[in-house]
Amino acid sequence: MAPGQLKKLQDDPSVKYIEEDRIISLGLPDIEAKKGKPGGGGTTSPAQQTPWGISRVNGITNYTGTKKAWVVDSGVDLDHPDLNVNTSLSRSFIIGGKTTTPDDENGHGSHVAGTIAAKNNSIGVIGVAPGAQVVSCRVLDRRGSGSFSWTVAALDYIATDGVGTAGDVVNMSLGPSSRYIDSSVDAAVQAVAAKGIKLSIAAGNESDDCFYYSPAHNNGPNIYTVSAMWESDRFATEFSNFGSPVDYAAPGVYILSTYKNGGYETLHGTSMAAPHVAGILLLGNVSTDGHVTSDPDGNPDPIAVH
């Protein structure tokens, strides 16, 4: 934007504020792991197993409600045999690229969706709320990169089409890779929450205080920020953000879930922790079962369970 255009907009009484758009990314932590793809990226269907995180948060056998999980991410594999995707509501909010489909070209969003709601069938994995509808709100490209403005557009869409009274839930496993507060995305998060729609937000993977990051630092009714833990209930000090905005800890290391192209993958991060809480929210209120150990802020996060 030219300087003259900026000044004109700043002087326009209908404009509340202007801020520079920023890049957001996935920033998955670099933990040594055997990253398997059971099923060979979708060529075969592995026998179903229950990931440790689903057991830890007390996932159920089958979900029969009508609540939807809106996945603001890299998209969702629209025809994955282990996911119940609402394709009619799914949208892409990526601007300026060649891709307009809400289908997942990265894998991250499909992984998130599977943790929330992978079906209880004979293949792959099972989610916290098995078989619940997931809606793809794509704001990240195939490299896992996007912008705050695309995220704002997705949240505006959800605020209009999501149904708080029906118990819809939003998962946001994304954010900036360094400290940054974005007023626009924060306002969009608060607007969705004000509609009665619950949001589960990843705390971030910078081993830092999430107070300095949007959208993780948001607080208020219907907003839940989630840190990550190991299977031993130890806080994932290797990467997980911490701090006063965090509401719960959830499994975030060695998490097996669905992936792009009908496949399955093991990933780590607060990106993997947040969808556990999103699934719990589809089932009702969040309960707790103990606290994590080794929390860097000295105030151990309660462990979220159904």
Side-chain angles (χ1 to χ4, degrees), residues 253-269:
V253 185
Y254 290 99
I255 304 302
L256 176 65
S257 186
T258 49
Y259 206 63
K260 65 179 180 177
N261 300 325
Y264 299 85
E265 180 65 283
T266 297
L267 297 176
H268 322 279

Side-chain angles (χ1 to χ4, degrees), residues 1-12 15 17-20:
M1 182 183 294
Q5 291 177 308
L6 176 60
K7 181 65 168 60
K8 185 176 181 180
L9 279 176
Q10 288 173 327
D11 292 340
D12 189 330
V15 175
Y17 56 85
I18 299 172
E19 59 187 343
E20 185 177 358

Side-chain angles (χ1 to χ4, degrees), residues 162-182:
V163 184
T165 55
D168 283 4
V169 174
V170 176
N171 191 90
M172 299 182 70
S173 289
L174 43 72
S177 58
S178 59
R179 292 185 176 189
Y180 188 74
I181 301 299
D182 188 275

Side-chain angles (χ1 to χ4, degrees), residues 13 26 62 69 77 84 93 102 119 130 137 156 160 166 180 185 198 200 205-206 211 217 224 231 247 253 301:
L26 299 176
N62 277 301
D77 186 347
N84 179 18
F93 299 90
K119 298 176 185 177
C137 294
D156 288 348
T160 301
Y180 188 74
V185 79
K198 296 177 172 64
S200 182
N205 302 319
E206 289 72 38
F211 179 81
H217 77 138
Y224 304 88
E231 190 169 0
D247 297 286
V253 185
D301 299 331

Side-chain angles (χ1 to χ4, degrees), residues 113-130:
T115 296
I116 297 171
K119 298 176 185 177
N120 183 10
N121 48 22
S122 60
I123 62 169
V125 293
I126 185 171
V128 178

Side-chain angles (χ1 to χ4, degrees), residues 113-299:
T115 296
I116 297 171
K119 298 176 185 177
N120 183 10
N121 48 22
S122 60
I123 62 169
V125 293
I126 185 171
V128 178
Q133 289 187 56
V134 294
V135 182
S136 172
C137 294
R138 186 178 178 187
V139 299
L140 301 173
D141 61 20
R142 60 183 177 79
R143 298 166 297 177
S145 180
S147 71
F148 273 120
S149 60
W150 299 350
T151 305
V152 169
L155 291 170
D156 288 348
Y157 170 64
I158 295 168
T160 301
D161 286 62
V163 184
T165 55
D168 283 4
V169 174
V170 176
N171 191 90
M172 299 182 70
S173 289
L174 43 72
S177 58
S178 59
R179 292 185 176 189
Y180 188 74
I181 301 299
D182 188 275
S183 301
S184 298
V185 79
D186 289 344
V189 165
Q190 296 291 336
V192 170
K195 294 279 187 177
I197 302 169
K198 296 177 172 64
L199 300 99
S200 182
I201 304 174
N205 302 319
E206 289 72 38
S207 297
D208 195 6
D209 191 331
C210 66
F211 179 81
Y212 302 103
Y213 295 79
S214 293
H217 77 138
N218 279 276
N219 274 317
N222 300 321
I223 301 172
Y224 304 88
T225 300
V226 187
S227 63
M229 70 181 196
W230 287 76
E231 190 169 0
S232 61
D233 291 353
R234 178 176 69 81
F235 190 93
T237 53
E238 295 81 2
F239 61 85
S240 181
N241 283 358
F242 49 83
S244 59
V246 174
D247 297 286
Y248 300 105
V253 185
Y254 290 99
I255 304 302
L256 176 65
S257 186
T258 49
Y259 206 63
K260 65 179 180 177
N261 300 325
Y264 299 85
E265 180 65 283
T266 297
L267 297 176
H268 322 279
T270 57
S271 285
M272 286 58 255
H276 284 88
V277 173
I280 294 170
L281 291 170
L282 286 176
L283 303 178
N285 295 324
V286 181
S287 297
T288 61
D289 179 21
H291 294 75
V292 293
T293 60
S294 305
D295 192 322
D297 63 19
N299 185 22

